[in-house]
Amino acid sequence: GENVEQHPSTLSVQEGDSAVIKCTYSDSASNYFPWYKQELGKRPQLIIDIRSNVGEKKDQRIAVTLNKTAKHFSLHITETQPEDSAVYFCAASRRSGGYQKVTFGTGTKLQVIP
Amino acid sequence: DVKVTQSSRYLVKRTGEKVFLECVQDMDHENMFWYRQDPGLGLRLIYFSYDVKMKEKGDIPEGYSVSREKKERFSLILESASTNQTSMYLCASSSPLFGTSGLHSSTDTQYFGPGTRLTVL
């Protein structure tokens, strides 16, 4: 089955600095890579995603890059703010029959220090 | 807005009890999922369902079963709760959409419920 590794497990940055979270996956058939943000005590919510036919996607201060050859993808947050503090999960997903099977990484706890 | 609700936010049960966790979504989604979330282990898939009365084992199905009698409702059952099942349980739903070209153009976004923190004593 798919295996998704996520690093680092914790990350502290000063407000205004950039944060990068990296994930690798094992199944070359994976074709969809979402990122979820989970604030303390709340449910995970999708913040950005990328499909395998795209190398990079950007949405304001967040961007995701995908290297299919190396089987890794990364989340980049620029100009970090205290409200970016949360746990971030990457995921790799592939179609299996009539449904999309998703495997999550173990999460990165990001702390933005004011 | 997609709404996914779970029957309880907090639950305390005793070892050996039968436990039911319920999840309801209001967006007519085909796919529903049950995960458990533990520190350092991320979100691990227990079971999922892609249609009414259909179920598939995820990565850690042992000790659990599920039921999907109606499209909007997906139940997780702990037949005989054990202390190692103390965890946060998250339900999610998603809806695959296919473009007219036949190519996969699914949203596949998973919408999560608020979670149920289960403690087994």
Side-chain angles (χ1 to χ4, degrees), chain B residues 5 11 15 25 31 43 49 62 69 72 77-79 83 85 104-105 118:
Chain B
T5 58
L11 209 52
T15 301
Q25 50 93 5
N31 303 330
L43 297 166
S49 169
E62 296 78 18
E69 295 297 317
E72 68 270 19
I77 303 153
L78 287 66
E79 294 290 341
T83 54
Q85 292 178 310
H104 167 51
S105 64
L118 173 66

Side-chain angles (χ1 to χ4, degrees), chain A residues 31-32 34 36 38 41-46 49 51 87 89 93 95 97-107, chain B residues 4 9 31 33 35 37 40-43 45 48 50 56 59 90 96 98 104 106-110 112-114:
Chain A
N31 60 358
Y32 173 63
Y36 288 81
Q38 186 178 28
K42 296 191 176 179
R43 69 191 76 191
Q45 291 193 301
L46 181 75
D49 56 13
R51 299 196 182 275
V87 177
F89 293 98
S93 176
R95 184 139 295 269
Y99 50 86
Q100 196 81 358
K101 180 126 190 302
V102 182
T103 302
F104 284 86
T106 50
Chain B
V4 182
R9 290 300 304 272
N31 303 330
F33 309 82
Y35 295 91
Q37 181 177 15
L41 298 177
L43 297 166
L45 182 64
F48 64 101
Y50 54 91
E56 292 284 339
D59 300 316
L90 287 165
F98 290 92
H104 167 51
S106 163
T107 63
D108 287 326
T109 300
Q110 296 209 359
F112 285 88

